[in-house]
Amino acid sequence: MIFTLTINPSLDYVVDCSNFSLGKVNRTCSERIFAAGKGINVSVVLSNLGIKNTAIGFTAGFTGREIERRLDLMGICTDFIELKAGESRINIKLRTTDGNLQNAAAEETEINARGPCIDGGAVECLLEKLAGLSRGDFLVLAGSVPPSVPQSFYADCMAGLLAKEVNVVVDAEQKLLLEALKFSPYLIKPNQHELGALFDTQILCKEDAVPYAQKLQKMGAKNVLVSFAKDGALLLDEAGSVWFCNAPKGKCINSVGAGDSMIAGFLCAVSEGLKGKAALKKAVCTGSASAFSETLATKESVEALFNSLV
Ligand SMILES: Nc1ncnc2c1ncn2[C@@H]1O[C@H](COP(=O)(O)OP(=O)(O)OP(=O)(O)O)[C@@H](O)[C@H]1O
Ligand SMILES: [Mg+2]
C-alpha cells in the first residue's frame, strides 16, 4: 500500500474576481473548492492513475471532515488522526484583475491559514500509526511542517521504518530533508532551487545538478529526482546511473502541484516495473500533465504526453 502524509491539509477555495478593488465589495465570477496539501495532491494523482493509496495526517473540525469526505468521494482511502481542538485550514486563492489598471494581467493572491495546533501528543499518535506499516509499503512525506513540529519530524517518522524496509519518499527542504537522509529515503525530489539552497549554490542546468545529486545519494538517498519545471528533470537512480528528460512542450496553465504529481508519476512507474529513463519519463509527463491543466494530471493526459514524447 502507498500512504501519503499531509500534516496540515486544507480546503482550497479558489475564486476568480475581475475588476478587483481593494477595500470595496467585490463579486466573484467563479468559485472552486477542493481538498489540498502536498501529500493529498500525490494521493489524488495516484488515484487518477488507478493506484490505490491511503491519505494520512491530521484533520480537525468541520473542515477536516469535509476534506475526508471529498477524498472518499474520489475513492481515496483516508486514515487521518482527528485532533480535538481547532479546524483544518481553508486557504484562499484569489485570482484577480485590477479594476484600476487597463489590460492588467491576472494575479493570484494566496491567503494561507495556520491550521490546528499539532502538539507532541498528536505526533506520538502518528508515530504509533506509522508503526503499523509493513515491509514493501511506500510512505510519501511531502511539504513543510508547522512551527510546533520539529525539523527532525520526517526523520522521526522514518526511524522506526528503516528496519521494516518501508520505502519512504521525502519531498522537503533544508533541515527537514537533511535529517531524513540519515534513514535512507527511497526517493527524494528537490527542485533545482531547493537543491542549490542545500549546497549554498545556484544550479542553472541539469548537468550542474549531477554532482549535488550524487552527494545526496552518498548522504543516504537511494533515488534522487531533481525537477527543473519547464525544462524537465534528471534522475540519479539506485544503480548510480544518471538519466535526463526534457519536459513535453505545452501551455502552462497551473503549475501548482506539478512536483507532487511528478512523485505520483514516479511511484506509478515503479508499480508498473519501469526503471531508469522510462520511470523518469513517466514522472516528467505526469508533472507536465498537471502543469498543462487547471487541475491535476489524469491517466489520459499523462498517457497522451508519454506517447508524444520521444
Ligand atoms: N511550465 C511547465 N511546462 C512543462 N512541464 C512542467 C512545467 N512546470 C512543471 N512541469 C513538470 O512538472 C515537473 C515538476 O515541476 P517543478 O520543477 O516546478 O516542481 P516543484 O517546484 O517541486 O513544484 P511544486 O512543489 O510546486 O509542486 C517538471 O519536472 C516538469 O515535468
Ligand atoms: Mg516541490
Side-chain angles (χ1 to χ4, degrees):
M1 173 58 86
I2 301 178
F3 296 85
T4 67
L5 174 79
T6 308
I7 188 164
N8 199 3
S10 65
L11 284 177
D12 278 9
Y13 189 47
V14 184
V15 294
D16 282 287
C17 193
S18 50
N19 299 325
F20 179 77
S21 289
L22 203 59
K24 300 264 170 63
V25 173
N26 293 276
R27 298 203 189 280
T28 61
C29 47
S30 84
E31 316 74 30
R32 207 158 57 84
I33 193 160
F34 56 91
K38 290 185 124 3
I40 286 179
N41 291 342
V42 177
S43 273
V44 170
V45 177
L46 281 171
S47 169
N48 288 351
L49 297 177
I51 297 184
K52 203 166 177 290
N53 70 91
T54 301
I56 63 171
F58 301 103
T59 54
F62 78 102
T63 38
R65 288 191 289 280
E66 179 61 12
I67 290 167
E68 288 198 39
R69 191 187 71 85
R70 284 173 180 262
L71 294 179
D72 288 344
L73 279 178
M74 285 187 267
I76 297 166
C77 305
T78 57
D79 191 14
F80 287 98
I81 294 164
E82 194 178 343
L83 300 168
K84 291 202 172 59
E87 314 285 353
S88 287
R89 306 182 289 168
I90 298 178
N91 291 336
I92 302 166
K93 293 179 200 295
L94 174 64
R95 300 193 299 197
T96 55
T97 49
D98 189 333
N100 297 315
L101 295 175
Q102 275 185 349
N103 302 325
E107 256 193 301
E108 186 165 303
T109 305
E110 275 191 41
I111 303 171
N112 288 340
R114 286 171 306 169
C117 174
I118 296 156
D119 58 15
V123 170
E124 278 305 312
C125 278
L126 178 70
L127 295 181
E128 267 173 40
K129 191 180 286 290
L130 293 179
L133 268 58
S134 320
R135 186 166 180 268
D137 281 343
F138 284 80
L139 171 66
V140 179
L141 303 172
S144 58
V145 295
S148 64
V149 172
Q151 292 294 306
S152 62
F153 177 65
Y154 286 165
D156 299 341
C157 289
M158 294 169 76
L161 300 176
L162 190 61
K164 286 188 163 182
E165 296 177 37
V166 170
N167 301 298
V168 184
V169 178
V170 182
D171 182 9
E173 294 181 43
Q174 296 291 4
K175 193 153 185 246
L176 204 50
L177 173 59
L178 291 174
E179 292 279 319
L181 290 175
K182 296 175 191 160
F183 297 99
S184 292
Y186 173 76
L187 173 73
I188 59 173
K189 196 222 69 68
N191 65 30
Q192 71 184 103
H193 308 292
E194 292 160 353
L195 181 64
L198 281 174
F199 295 101
D200 203 14
T201 187
Q202 270 208 323
I203 310 270
L204 298 175
C205 63
K206 293 198 273 275
E207 287 73 16
D208 278 1
V210 174
Y212 297 104
Q214 285 167 335
K215 278 182 204 240
L216 291 173
Q217 197 172 55
K218 279 212 181 74
M219 289 160 77
K222 290 186 179 130
N223 295 283
V224 183
L225 189 52
V226 185
S227 65
F228 284 74
K230 67 174 179 15
D231 295 321
L234 80 88
L235 171 68
L236 169 62
D237 72 15
E238 257 178 299
S241 302
V242 178
W243 306 95
F244 297 97
C245 184
N246 289 324
K249 298 272 169 271
K251 183 167 184 276
C252 179
I253 293 176
N254 176 10
S255 70
V256 175
D260 311 327
S261 304
M262 171 168 239
I263 289 171
F266 190 84
L267 293 180
C268 175
V270 169
S271 79
E272 289 168 351
L274 301 179
K275 285 189 170 158
K277 175 85 193 209
L280 173 62
K281 187 176 157 188
K282 182 102 182 188
V284 164
C285 289
T286 311
S288 298
S290 282
F292 297 161
S293 123
E294 183 68 64
T295 55
L296 292 169
T298 62
K299 195 176 172 71
E300 297 70 33
S301 62
V302 174
E303 275 170 8
L305 291 180
F306 192 85
N307 293 332
S308 72
L309 195 66
V310 280

